[in-house]
Amino acid sequence: MLSKAVQTKLNEQIQKEAHASNAYLALATWAENKGLPNIAEYFYLASDDERSHMLQLYKYVNANGGSAQLKDSLGKVKDSFKTVLDVFKHVFDLEHGVTLSVNELATWCLQNNEHATFFFLQAFVQEQQDAERNVQEIITVIERMGFEDRNLFYLDKQFKKINQQTAAGGA
Ligand SMILES: [Fe+2]
């Protein structure tokens, strides 16, 4: 059974994952409006990914005698950017924010003897490390290709491959 305190912490993380899912949807809209369909698809997949993290936490709370809750208000998401590089720097900040909160939650679990939840969270810790590395690799590609209008077509094409890898489970 989960303590009230760990339930509160997990419900806060549920909220953050849902917020991240919404944030990625706003980025999908940005990419669609810029005529970058493969980058839009990347953000749709990322949004699904965040929703699946949210659901894993949600089900974990309910399966262990707790009450999972998702509040109505998920907070404002950023939807206006100057360049595709700005978009991916924002993605990095978004993922880094989630990393910090997952780490903080795992540390709290250890300090409060919530070992089962600490163990459960290790997949999230690993996932965040992978997410930050992947986004950093994309930022490097964008910086090398440049992001003038004429390069965006080719950059978008690169995401076809990235999306296929993601769909194949190699995020
Ligand atoms: Fe996540």
Side-chain angles (χ1 to χ4, degrees), residues 100-140:
L100 294 178
S101 77
V102 167
N103 284 345
E104 188 264 337
L105 179 53
T107 302
W108 183 91
C109 287
L110 259 194
Q111 289 169 345
N112 290 274
N113 294 324
E114 296 282 359
H115 293 285
T117 300
F118 176 79
F119 184 74
F120 168 76
L121 287 171
Q122 296 316 297
F124 288 77
V125 171
Q126 192 63 57
E127 171 87 28
Q128 283 310 122
Q129 188 177 48
D130 294 345
E132 285 197 16
R133 188 183 58 249
N134 290 339
V135 176
Q136 191 52 58
E137 280 172 13
I138 288 170
I139 288 173
T140 303

Side-chain angles (χ1 to χ4, degrees), residues 52-102:
S52 97
H53 299 160
M54 185 274 284
L55 270 180
Q56 284 171 44
L57 290 159
Y58 204 92
K59 290 178 177 176
Y60 175 81
V61 171
N62 283 339
N64 290 286
S67 293
Q69 282 165 348
L70 183 58
K71 293 189 194 120
D72 284 350
S73 165
L74 296 176
K76 231 180 115 40
V77 293
K78 189 168 160 58
D79 58 5
S80 127
F81 303 91
K82 277 206 180 110
T83 68
V84 71
L85 182 63
D86 290 341
V87 172
F88 278 93
K89 283 184 169 171
H90 174 65
V91 169
F92 187 86
D93 291 345
L94 187 71
E95 289 294 348
H96 189 61
V98 176
T99 299
L100 294 178
S101 77
V102 167

